[in-house]
C-alpha cells in the first residue's frame, strides 16, 4: 500500500482547528497588564481607596437633601471632636437646619433640632426606639429593660409607674432628708475647717450628695453610707466611659474597661440589696424605698395569683392594680442601676446649677428661703411633706426655670428600626441614629421670651406652664421619664432645705454660666476641679450667734482651696484611691507616657499576629490632641484612652458574721481586695471577631 505523504509545509499549530479562541489575546493582554508588577502594597492601596470611595458614597447617599458636611473624613468622621464635645458646636449644628447629619465610623447620625421634629421622633415607636452608646449596652447588659420592646418592656414598666405616685414619693422623703442633713453639715465643715472660709470646688460634693440621695431613695438602708460614697466615686468611671462612639471592643485599662468593672460592681451591690429587700418584705415590713415598694408589689401579685389558682374567693379590693411576675435579684439590680444611670449625672447637673444661680441672684434665694420658712411656720427643723412641696409655687418655679435654662440632658438618642420618613423629602435609613434635641425647644424665643435669661417669674406670672409641647426636659412619648415628678420634687426639697440651713456664696468668673458638656451640662471649668476633695484639720465650726444659717463658700475656680490644703501636708484621700495628689502629678505623667509607649508597641505586635488588624488601631490611637494633668485627678487623656496606674484597689462587699446580716446594712461594709489588676471577663473579651488579634493583645498585656 502506497504511503500518503502530506506535502504541506504549514505547521499544525497554525491550523485553524488548533487556533486560539476569538478575543483570548485581548483578555490575556488585559490580565497581563493588570497583574504585571502586582505586590502587596498595591493591593492594599487599591483596597484602601475602594473602601474610602465606598465610605464617601454611602455617606452622601444617606445624607440626601439634609444639612451636613459635603464630605466625610474617611472612616472616622468627626470622631475626635466627639471626644471632647463643645457646646458651641452643638448650637451651630442646631442652627444649621431642622435636620442635619454627621457620620462617625459606621454610624450615620441625624439630628432633629426643632420642637415638632423632635416630638415626631419621641412619638414614633413604630419607626424608632431609644438607643444608647454601644458601651452602655455592655455596662447595663443587653437584657436590661430599657432595651426591651413589646410585652417584655410593658411587664417592667407597668410595675415601675406605680413607684412614682404621690403616695409613693411621700414614703421616700424621710430618707432623702436624712441624707441632706448629713451632707449639708459636711458642706459647712468643709468650708470652714477644710478651706478655712475660702471658696472651694463644689461640683464633686454635689455629685456625691445626689448619688447618696438616689441610693437612699432606690435601695433604702440596705446599703451603708460608705457603700454609697464608693458608688459615687465609681460612677466617675462609668461616666468617663460613656462616649457617643467607642472602640468596638473593651481593651484592658482603658476608660471603657474601668467603666465596665465599676458597673459590674454596682450591679453586684444592688443585687445584694434586692435579696435583703425580698426577705424583709416577705416578713411583712413596710416599704421605705423604691426597691421595697416594687418587691412588695411583686409579692402581693404572687399571693393573689396563688389564691386564684387554688379557687379561693378573693375580694376585688385585694386585687393589685397590676399583676406582676417575680423578677430575679439581678433583674431588679439592672433596673435600679438604670434609675441611677438616668439620674446621677442629670441631678448632679441640676443641683450644681441651682446652687450657683441662686448664689449669683441673692434676691431669688431670699424668696425661696422666705417661702420655705413660711410653709413650716417659721420652724426650719420641720420635716418636709408632699403637702408642703405642692404648696411652694416659687420654689417650684425656680427649679423648673433652672431645668429650662440649663437642661441637664440636651438630646436623647434613638435608632431607626426601619426607614423613617421624617419629612416629605427625606427618609432616615434603617439603622441610623436619630437624635431629637431638647435644648432648642426650651430656648425658643417665641415661647419663652428672652430665653437666655434666668427668670423664675415666667412660671408664675407668665404662660410658661401652658407651653407643654416645648417642655421636653424629661423627653416625650411612650419612653418619657417615669421619674419626672420625683426629680422635680427632690430638687425642690433639696434647695428649699438648703435655703433655710445654709448661706452660700459663689466666686463668679467670666465663664461661670458658660456650658461644659460632661455627659450633661455643667458650668464651664467646673470639670477641672478635683473629684476627690483634699481634707485637712481645722478649728471647730463656729455658728453665727444671730441664728443665721452657717455659710458655705463655693467656687468654680479649680485651684481655690486646693493650695491651702496642700500647703499643710495633711491631704487625706478618699477610700477609692482614684487619683493622686497634685504633688504626684509629674510622676504620674511620666508613668502614663511609659504606659502609652508600651501599649502602642503591644498593639503593633499584636496587629502583626492578627493579620495587621492591630497595626491600624495603633496608628489611630497615635492621632489627636491630649490633655496633660490640668488639675486633680492627674489623669492622662489620650483620645478615647485614659491611662491610670495598672494596679488599683478593687471594691468588694464582705459580710461579717453579724447577728442580722439581712436587715443590718452595717454588717456588709466595703472592703478592698488585694491591690491587683483584675482583668475584664476573659471569655467575653475573647468572644466575637478578630480572635487572633485579641489573643495576641491579651498575651502582650499580660
Amino acid at each position: 500500500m502506497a504511503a500518503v505523504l502530506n506535502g504541506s509545509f504549514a505547521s499544525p499549530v497554525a491550523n485553524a482547528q488548533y487556533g486560539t479562541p476569538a478575543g483570548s489575546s485581548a483578555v490575556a493582554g488585559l490580565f497581563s497588564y493588570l497583574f504585571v508588577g502586582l505586590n502587596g502594597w498595591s493591593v492594599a492601596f487599591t483596597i484602601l481607596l475602594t473602601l474610602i470611595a465606598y465610605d464617601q458614597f454611602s455617606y452622601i447617599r444617606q445624607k440626601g437633601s439634609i444639612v451636613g458636611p459635603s464630605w466625610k473624613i474617611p472612616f472616622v468622621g468627626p470622631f475626635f471632636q466627639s471626644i471632647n464635645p463643645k457646646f458651641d458646636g452643638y448650637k451651630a449644628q442646631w442652627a444649621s437646619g431642622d435636620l442635619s447629619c454627621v457620620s462617625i465610623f459606621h454610624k450615620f447620625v441625624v439630628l432633629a433640632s426643632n420642637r415638632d421634629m423632635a416630638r415626631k421622633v419621641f412619638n414614633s415607636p413604630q419607626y424608632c426606639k431609644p438607643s444608647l452608646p454601644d458601651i452602655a449596652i455592655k455596662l447595663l447588659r443587653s437584657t436590661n429593660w430599657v432595651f426591651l420592646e413589646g410585652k417584655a418592656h410593658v411587664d417592667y414598666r407597668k410595675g415601675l409607674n406605680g413607684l412614682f405616685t404621690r403616695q409613693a414619693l411621700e414614703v421616700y422623703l424621710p430618707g432623702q432628708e436624712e441624707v441632706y442633713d448629713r451632707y449639708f453639715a459636711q458642706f459647712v465643715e468643709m468650708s470652714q475647717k477644710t478651706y478655712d472660709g475660702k471658696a472651694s470646688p463644689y461640683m464633686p460634693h454635689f455629685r456625691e450628695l445626689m448619688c447618696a440621695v438616689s441610693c437612699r431613695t432606690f435601695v433604702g438602708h440596705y446599703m451603708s453610707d460608705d457603700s454609697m460614697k464608693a458608688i459615687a466615686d465609681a460612677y466617675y468611671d462609668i461616666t468617663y466611659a460613656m462616649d457617643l462612639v467607642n472602640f468596638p471592643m473593651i481593651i484592658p485599662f482603658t476608660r471603657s474597661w474601668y467603666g465596665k468593672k465599676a458597673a459590674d460592681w454596682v450591679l453586684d451591690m444592688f443585687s445584694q440589696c434586692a435579696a435583703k429587700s425580698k426577705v424583709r418584705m416577705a416578713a411583712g415590713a413596710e416599704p421605705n424605698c423604691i426597691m421595697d415598694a416594687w418587691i412588695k408589689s411583686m409579692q402581693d401579685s404572687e399571693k393573689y395569683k396563688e389564691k386564684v389558682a387554688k379557687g379561693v374567693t378573693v375580694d376585688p379590693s385585694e386585687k393589685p392594680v397590676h399583676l406582676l411576675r417575680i423578677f430575679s435579684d439581678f433583674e431588679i439590680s439592672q433596673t435600679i442601676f438604670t434609675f441611677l444611670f438616668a439620674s446621677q449625672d442629670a441631678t448632679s447637673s441640676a443641683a450644681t446649677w441651682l446652687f450657683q444661680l441662686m448664689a449669683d441672684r441673692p434676691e431669688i434665694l431670699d424668696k425661696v428661703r422666705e417661702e420655705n420658712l413660711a410653709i413650716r411656720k417659721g420652724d426650719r427643723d420641720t420635716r418636709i411633706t408632699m403637702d408642703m412641696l405642692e404648696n411652694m409655687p416659687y420654689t417650684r418655679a425656680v427649679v423648673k426655670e433652672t431645668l429650662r435654662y440649663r437642661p441637664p440632658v440636651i438630646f436623647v438618642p434613638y435608632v431607626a428600626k426601619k426607614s423613617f420618613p421624617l419629612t416629605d423629602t427625606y427618609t432616615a435609613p434603617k439603622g441610623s441614629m436619630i437624635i431629637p434635641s431638647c435644648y432648642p425647644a426650651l430656648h425658643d424665643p417665641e415661647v419663652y421670651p428672652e430665653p437666655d435669661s434666668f427668670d423664675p417669674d415666667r412660671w408664675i406670672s407668665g404662660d410658661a406652664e401652658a407651653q407643654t409641647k416645648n417642655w421636653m426636659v424629661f423627653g416625650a412619648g411612650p419612653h418619657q421619664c417615669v421619674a419626672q415628678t420625683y426629680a422635680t420634687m427632690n430638687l425642690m426639697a433639696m434647695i428649699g432645705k438648703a435655703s433655710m440651713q445654709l448661706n452660700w456664696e459663689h466666686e463668679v468668673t467670666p465663664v461661670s454660666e458658660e456650658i461644659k458638656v460632661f455627659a450633661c451640662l455643667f458650668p464651664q471649668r467646673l470639670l477641672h476641679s478635683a473629684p476627690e476633695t483634699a481634707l485637712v484639720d481645722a478649728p471647730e465650726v463656729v455658728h453665727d450667734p444671730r441664728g443665721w444659717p452657717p455659710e458655705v463658700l463655693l467656687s468654680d475656680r479649680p485651684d481655690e482651696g486646693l493650695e491651702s490644703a496642700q500647703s499643710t501636708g495633711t491631704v487625706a484621700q478618699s477610700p477609692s484611691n482614684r487619683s493622686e495628689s497634685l504633688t504626684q502629678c509629674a510622676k504620674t505623667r511620666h508613668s502614663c507616657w511609659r504606659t502609652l509607649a508600651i501599649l502602642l508597641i503591644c498593639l503593633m505586635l499584636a496587629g502583626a499576629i492578627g493579620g495587621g488588624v492591630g497595626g491600624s488601631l495603633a496608628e489611630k490611637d497615635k492621632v489627636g490632641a491630649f490633655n496633660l494633668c490640668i488639675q486633680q485627678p492627674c489623669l492622662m487623656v489620650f483620645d478615647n484612652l485614659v491611662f491610670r496606674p495598672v494596679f488599683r484597689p478593687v471594691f468588694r462587699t464582705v459580710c461579717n458574721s453579724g447577728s442580722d446580716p439581712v436587715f443590718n446594712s452595717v454588717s456588709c461594709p466595703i472592703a478592698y481586695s488585694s491591690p491587683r489588676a483584675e482583668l475584664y471577663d476573659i471569655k467575653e473579651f475573647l468572644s466575637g471577631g478578630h480572635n487572633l488579634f485579641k489573643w495576641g493583645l491579651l498575651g502582650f498585656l499580660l
Side-chain angles (χ1 to χ4, degrees):
M1 182 181 219
V4 179
L5 299 176
N6 182 3
S8 173
F9 290 97
S11 171
V13 179
N15 195 298
Q17 63 180 329
Y18 302 108
T20 304
S24 62
S25 60
V27 173
L30 176 62
F31 274 89
S32 175
Y33 173 77
L34 291 176
F35 289 100
V36 168
L38 186 66
N39 57 47
W41 286 108
S42 59
V43 170
F45 187 67
T46 302
I47 293 174
L48 178 62
L49 290 179
T50 303
L51 291 175
I52 291 175
Y54 174 78
D55 189 47
Q56 296 296 334
F57 172 77
S58 177
Y59 165 69
I60 294 171
R61 178 179 57 82
Q62 294 179 97
K63 174 180 177 292
S65 60
I66 63 176
V67 177
S70 300
W71 300 93
K72 173 188 175 182
I73 299 174
F75 307 124
V76 298
F79 170 67
F80 296 112
Q81 293 93 312
S82 69
I83 294 173
N84 184 26
K86 306 296 184 184
F87 186 70
D88 288 342
Y90 289 132
K91 292 182 72 174
Q93 190 87 22
W94 295 327
S96 65
D98 293 343
L99 289 176
S100 57
C101 69
V102 295
S103 180
I104 304 177
F105 291 133
H106 61 290
K107 288 188 179 296
F108 182 72
V109 183
V110 179
L111 275 75
S113 300
N114 68 7
R115 179 197 69 185
D116 295 334
M117 196 64 65
R119 293 191 72 87
K120 183 173 184 177
V121 177
F122 281 132
N123 289 284
S124 299
Q126 69 275 25
Y127 285 108
C128 58
K129 62 180 180 180
S131 173
L132 289 171
D134 293 338
I135 185 62
I137 300 176
K138 295 181 176 70
L139 267 55
L140 298 175
R141 309 297 176 88
S142 59
T143 56
N144 199 293
W145 75 286
V146 297
F147 304 122
L148 302 179
E149 296 184 81
K151 184 180 182 301
H153 181 83
V154 172
D155 283 346
Y156 276 92
R157 197 172 185 94
K158 67 183 181 182
L160 300 179
N161 286 334
L163 304 179
F164 298 98
T165 62
R166 184 187 186 282
Q167 181 180 1
L169 295 178
E170 185 92 53
V171 173
Y172 313 145
L173 285 175
Q176 294 169 14
E177 197 159 16
E178 169 197 325
V179 175
Y180 289 135
D181 285 338
R182 186 173 75 254
Y183 273 86
F184 288 168
Q186 290 179 14
F187 288 175
V188 175
E189 184 176 10
M190 283 189 295
S191 181
Q192 298 190 19
K193 292 177 63 177
T194 304
Y195 297 107
D196 195 23
K198 296 180 180 179
S200 61
Y202 59 95
M203 185 276 281
H205 307 312
F206 293 152
R207 186 180 172 90
E208 183 182 318
L209 163 64
M210 300 315 293
C211 182
V213 170
S214 295
C215 288
R216 185 66 78 227
T217 303
F218 299 157
V219 301
H221 288 82
Y222 300 120
M223 183 177 292
S224 67
D225 294 344
D226 287 340
S227 299
M228 293 191 300
K229 184 177 178 63
I231 286 180
D233 184 75
Y235 210 87
Y236 275 100
D237 286 334
I238 297 173
T239 301
Y240 276 124
M242 289 299 299
D243 290 319
L244 181 63
V245 179
N246 294 91
F247 201 67
M249 66 179 183
I250 297 179
I251 299 177
F253 314 122
T254 64
R255 65 167 72 178
S256 299
W257 186 80
Y258 282 115
K260 179 68 166 60
K261 289 194 69 65
D264 289 348
W265 177 73
V266 173
L267 284 168
D268 181 64
M269 292 293 295
F270 285 155
S271 293
Q272 295 180 40
C273 294
K276 296 177 187 178
S277 178
K278 284 182 177 179
V279 174
R280 182 170 175 270
M281 290 298 99
E286 289 297 318
N288 59 18
C289 64
I290 284 177
M291 183 178 282
D292 280 349
W294 190 23
I295 289 175
K296 187 176 188 305
S297 297
M298 298 177 205
Q299 294 177 348
D300 290 345
S301 297
E302 195 68 14
K303 291 176 183 177
Y304 175 82
K305 287 186 284 188
E306 288 176 359
K307 290 181 179 179
V308 171
K310 293 177 181 179
V312 177
T313 302
V314 183
D315 189 279
S317 62
E318 295 182 24
K319 182 180 179 179
V321 177
H322 297 291
L323 293 178
L324 310 178
R325 68 176 176 89
I326 297 293
F327 292 90
S328 69
D329 294 348
F330 190 71
E331 287 176 321
I332 296 171
S333 174
Q334 285 180 299
T335 305
I336 296 299
F337 187 38
T338 60
F339 291 166
L340 183 66
F341 190 86
S343 66
Q344 172 61 15
D345 289 311
T347 56
S348 299
S349 167
T352 302
W353 283 111
L354 264 173
F355 273 93
Q356 175 172 306
L357 291 168
M358 292 179 65
D360 295 344
R361 297 161 177 83
E363 70 282 359
I364 294 177
L365 174 57
D366 289 341
K367 290 181 181 180
V368 170
R369 178 177 290 144
E370 180 181 350
E371 182 178 68
N372 277 265
L373 285 171
I375 201 73
R376 293 170 172 81
K377 299 180 180 179
D379 183 4
R380 67 181 185 180
D381 295 324
T382 301
R383 312 310 282 177
I384 192 68
T385 65
M386 285 298 295
D387 286 335
M388 292 180 184
L389 291 172
E390 290 171 346
N391 287 280
M392 294 192 296
Y394 192 78
T395 304
R396 182 174 181 273
V398 169
V399 170
K400 294 200 70 172
E401 179 64 359
T402 301
L403 295 175
R404 184 209 65 81
Y405 179 64
R406 291 292 184 262
V409 179
I410 55 177
F411 43 62
V412 184
Y414 279 68
V415 64
K417 299 189 290 186
K418 56 184 178 180
S419 296
F420 187 177
L422 290 170
T423 67
D424 295 336
T425 59
Y426 182 73
T427 298
K430 178 183 178 180
S432 60
M433 184 178 287
I434 307 174
I435 303 181
S437 305
C438 307
Y439 189 93
L442 295 166
H443 284 74
D444 185 347
E446 295 183 4
V447 177
Y448 303 107
E450 300 183 14
D452 293 326
S453 297
F454 183 79
D455 180 18
D457 289 330
R458 74 171 82 240
W459 298 93
I460 297 175
S461 57
D463 63 346
E465 285 286 1
Q467 308 301 331
T468 54
K469 286 189 175 182
N470 282 65
W471 182 249
M472 292 192 290
V473 172
F474 300 99
H479 289 278
Q480 188 174 28
C481 178
V482 298
Q484 56 181 305
T485 302
Y486 157 74
T488 304
M489 295 296 185
N490 182 24
L491 292 170
M492 289 175 61
M494 177 199 70
I495 203 64
K497 189 173 187 67
S499 70
M500 297 181 302
Q501 296 191 351
L502 303 173
N503 277 322
W504 64 92
E505 298 176 1
H506 171 232
E507 270 196 5
V508 180
T509 69
V511 295
S512 287
E513 292 194 22
E514 293 185 14
I515 293 172
K516 167 71 178 180
V517 181
F518 178 68
C520 294
L521 303 188
F522 288 92
Q524 187 68 275
R525 295 183 64 194
L526 217 51
L527 269 294
H528 296 172
S529 58
E532 295 165 359
T533 305
L535 305 178
V536 297
D537 295 328
E540 293 294 325
V541 177
V542 179
H543 294 279
D544 194 318
R546 297 169 295 177
W548 286 102
E551 290 189 351
V552 177
L553 301 177
L554 309 176
S555 171
D556 58 10
R557 293 183 180 274
D559 51 349
E560 284 294 334
L562 202 58
E563 296 176 359
S564 62
Q566 291 162 350
S567 65
T568 65
T570 57
V571 180
Q573 299 290 342
S574 68
S576 66
N577 195 26
R578 285 187 66 252
S579 62
E580 303 180 30
S581 67
L582 198 59
T583 58
Q584 299 297 319
C585 190
K587 182 184 298 184
T588 306
R589 179 184 299 126
H590 294 308
S591 174
C592 289
W593 273 111
R594 288 194 298 269
T595 304
L596 174 64
I598 294 171
L599 185 58
L600 289 178
I601 293 171
C602 292
L603 282 172
M604 289 185 287
L605 291 174
I609 295 174
V613 177
S616 62
L617 303 181
E619 288 301 315
K620 181 184 78 64
D621 287 335
K622 295 179 186 177
V623 181
F626 53 87
N627 181 14
L628 287 179
C629 194
I630 298 174
Q631 290 290 338
Q632 285 185 311
C634 185
L635 302 180
M636 303 305 217
V637 184
F638 297 83
D639 295 335
N640 199 31
L641 302 178
V642 176
F643 293 88
R644 299 185 178 89
V646 170
F647 299 100
R648 62 185 300 213
V650 180
F651 291 117
R652 282 184 179 173
T653 302
V654 180
C655 293
N656 60 25
S657 56
S659 59
D660 192 0
V662 173
F663 302 112
N664 184 8
S665 63
V666 180
S667 66
C668 283
I670 294 298
Y672 296 117
S673 69
S674 59
R676 58 189 177 87
E678 297 189 22
L679 281 178
Y680 169 72
D681 188 346
I682 301 298
K683 293 182 180 179
E684 185 172 348
F685 178 71
L686 295 176
S687 63
H690 307 304
N691 283 330
L692 189 57
F693 162 64
K694 295 177 184 178
W695 278 106
L697 175 61
L698 182 63
F700 279 108
L701 287 175
L702 291 176

